[in-house]
Amino acid sequence: MKFLKVLAYPLSLLYGCIMLVRNKMFDWHLLPSKSYNLPVICVGNLSVGGTGKTPHTEYIIKLLMNNFKVGVLSRGYKRKTKGFFLAESASLVTDVGDEVLQMAHKFDNIKIAVCESRRKGIEILLRNFPDLDVIILDDAFQHRYVKPGLSIILSDYSNLYTNDFVLPTGNLREFISGAHRAHIICVTKSPKVLSPIVSKDIEAKLSLQPHQKLYFTYIKHGNFIPLYTDNGSEMPPKVYVILLFAGIANTYPLEEHLKTKCDDLRVIKFNDHYQYKEEDALALLQKFKDLYSVNKIMVTTEKDAKRLENSVFKNIFRNIPLFYIPIEIEFHNKYKTDFDNQILNYVRKNKTNR
């Protein structure tokens, strides 16, 4: 693997330089970057995924939705549709993507849409819903044709972007110098108990700019929720074996959580945003049946659950105890109040400028 990374290093330099030149063209106004007369918040990262954008976006939605009319715009990764598409709870995962469908199921009182062009998507949202107070852009940090008023980037605690390199040698979409465009940096998936010494060390590694604020978050796992509420299965009184399967970028936090819930954890990993097929479900079912235990369950993620919501999978997993675990993010100590205030103050100040 190390040998392959060495071979790919020149390609990484070339790719990184192309992205650097592209960013400079926006900085020097050789390429157009449009601002809007309402608050626009971008939640993104430097890496290709696995930092927790969806739960952080959901946190901001919940923070704002009771006092402001909120719109959310995403690319809709892995969807089959093209162009602008307004998400609803009845939408299909192939229409809007798993992450957007997850948000649409949770927040039926806000406008959530997908569009490859964030500029076009914002303009359609504002034309159809002119009373929107704020728009949240999901995964748009590299989409420079829109200039957000507040940019947030996320970095995994166990794999800071300062320790990474650009594709294909590493997982970064651009050189780490691009982080200077962010107003907020959130270090995600940190331990629930965070040492002040460790947080100071990370702050030093990230070399924050004067305009930047640093926050730390951790994952809060919810209860086991049946994927199919009427399939005839129940949670056993004591769980000995869990078969976890997931198509997400980073299963480590969930694995660590589930190890506290059973004696034996088995893990089957798929690619991020993997679109399950019937043969995958049948193979998973056989793996589960082959486990030598009575008190056993199957577990997946909330995002994967959205890709399994159809009658074919429901019939395959009939009478099987299959659950998903929702997640939320929590801020450490005083970081929650400071983060909430920074978001709320930005929206209040810029909402009045319309």
Side-chain angles (χ1 to χ4, degrees):
M1 182 64 71
K2 288 184 178 180
F3 177 70
L4 292 176
K5 286 189 174 182
V6 170
L7 287 180
Y9 188 73
L11 292 177
S12 293
L13 284 177
L14 176 61
Y15 171 76
C17 288
I18 291 172
M19 290 300 295
L20 181 63
V21 170
R22 177 181 181 270
N23 281 325
K24 289 298 182 184
M25 292 179 73
F26 281 105
D27 294 340
W28 296 334
H29 307 292
L30 298 175
L31 289 175
S33 187
K34 185 173 181 179
S35 299
Y36 292 86
N37 64 340
L38 84 166
V40 176
I41 301 172
C42 170
V43 181
N45 53 27
L46 294 184
S47 66
V48 291
T51 57
K53 288 188 301 297
T54 301
H56 283 78
T57 300
E58 291 178 353
Y59 180 93
I60 297 172
I61 292 171
K62 286 184 279 190
L63 176 65
L64 297 174
M65 67 182 189
N66 290 331
N67 297 302
F68 304 97
K69 293 182 173 64
V70 179
V72 177
L73 183 64
S74 175
R75 176 177 55 164
Y77 189 63
K78 290 282 187 178
R79 65 187 173 114
K80 303 296 184 182
T81 55
K82 297 292 184 182
F84 183 89
F85 198 101
L86 190 65
E88 300 173 343
S89 59
S91 298
L92 301 176
V93 68
T94 51
D95 293 334
V96 297
D98 51 9
E99 295 166 335
V100 172
L101 185 60
Q102 176 179 311
M103 288 188 280
H105 282 176
K106 290 182 176 180
F107 308 108
D108 57 3
N109 58 337
I110 69 170
K111 305 305 178 184
I112 306 176
V114 294
C115 192
E116 298 90 342
S117 168
R118 304 306 198 281
R119 182 186 290 186
K120 178 181 177 182
I122 289 174
E123 291 167 358
I124 295 175
L125 271 175
L126 293 178
R127 186 164 63 245
N128 293 341
F129 309 101
D131 60 341
L132 287 178
D133 295 318
V134 56
I135 290 177
I136 303 170
L137 300 180
D138 175 48
D139 196 13
F141 190 66
Q142 284 73 33
H143 196 93
R144 299 289 307 274
Y145 289 100
V146 170
K147 186 176 182 180
L150 187 69
S151 287
I152 303 169
I153 60 171
L154 312 178
S155 185
D156 191 322
Y157 174 88
S158 62
N159 186 28
L160 297 174
Y161 60 76
T162 50
N163 300 327
D164 208 343
F165 199 64
V166 292
L167 295 163
T169 300
N171 292 308
L172 299 185
R173 298 168 172 175
E174 56 180 298
F175 288 133
I176 62 174
S177 59
H180 78 274
R181 302 195 307 275
H183 303 91
I184 292 174
I185 299 174
C186 281
V187 176
T188 67
K189 303 180 182 179
S190 62
K192 289 186 178 180
V193 178
L194 182 66
S195 162
I197 296 175
V198 172
S199 61
K200 285 291 184 183
D201 181 57
I202 290 175
E203 183 175 357
K205 287 180 179 177
L206 296 180
S207 301
L208 300 183
Q209 301 294 311
H211 68 280
Q212 294 179 321
K213 296 290 186 181
L214 176 64
Y215 300 98
F216 290 84
T217 65
Y218 61 91
I219 293 175
K220 178 183 176 182
H221 292 93
N223 296 323
F224 293 96
I225 298 178
L227 182 53
Y228 309 113
T229 56
D230 57 347
N231 76 338
S233 65
E234 295 182 355
M235 172 73 76
K238 166 66 177 175
V239 176
Y240 292 110
V241 182
I242 293 178
L243 176 63
L244 167 66
F245 67 94
I248 61 174
N250 182 6
T251 60
Y252 174 76
L254 181 55
E255 289 181 44
E256 291 302 299
H257 173 71
L258 291 178
K259 285 176 183 178
T260 68
K261 304 295 182 182
C262 66
D263 297 328
D264 184 12
L265 175 66
R266 309 292 179 89
V267 182
I268 299 176
K269 298 181 182 180
F270 295 87
N271 292 332
D272 196 13
H273 299 279
Y274 184 77
Q275 296 295 326
Y276 294 99
K277 299 180 283 294
E278 184 176 352
E279 52 264 37
D280 298 318
L282 291 171
L284 287 167
L285 177 62
Q286 190 59 51
K287 288 277 189 183
F288 181 73
K289 289 181 176 179
D290 290 343
L291 294 176
Y292 188 71
S293 177
V294 175
N295 293 346
K296 57 187 178 180
I297 63 173
M298 298 181 76
V299 175
T300 191
T301 71
E302 187 175 13
K303 195 162 70 171
D304 285 280
K306 300 307 169 190
R307 288 174 255 139
L308 295 166
E309 290 181 343
N310 67 50
S311 58
V312 173
F313 297 126
K314 184 175 181 180
N315 287 331
I316 291 173
F317 293 116
R318 184 173 297 279
N319 299 319
I320 298 297
L322 173 56
F323 302 86
Y324 71 88
I325 296 184
I327 62 171
E328 296 178 333
I329 61 107
E330 294 281 353
F331 284 83
H332 284 281
N333 305 324
K334 69 180 183 69
Y335 292 114
K336 173 178 171 55
T337 300
D338 291 348
F339 180 86
D340 290 0
N341 286 338
Q342 186 171 358
I343 299 296
L344 291 169
N345 289 338
Y346 163 72
V347 174
R348 290 190 188 110
K349 178 181 177 181
N350 290 276
K351 176 178 178 289
T352 59
N353 292 336
R354 294 185 66 187

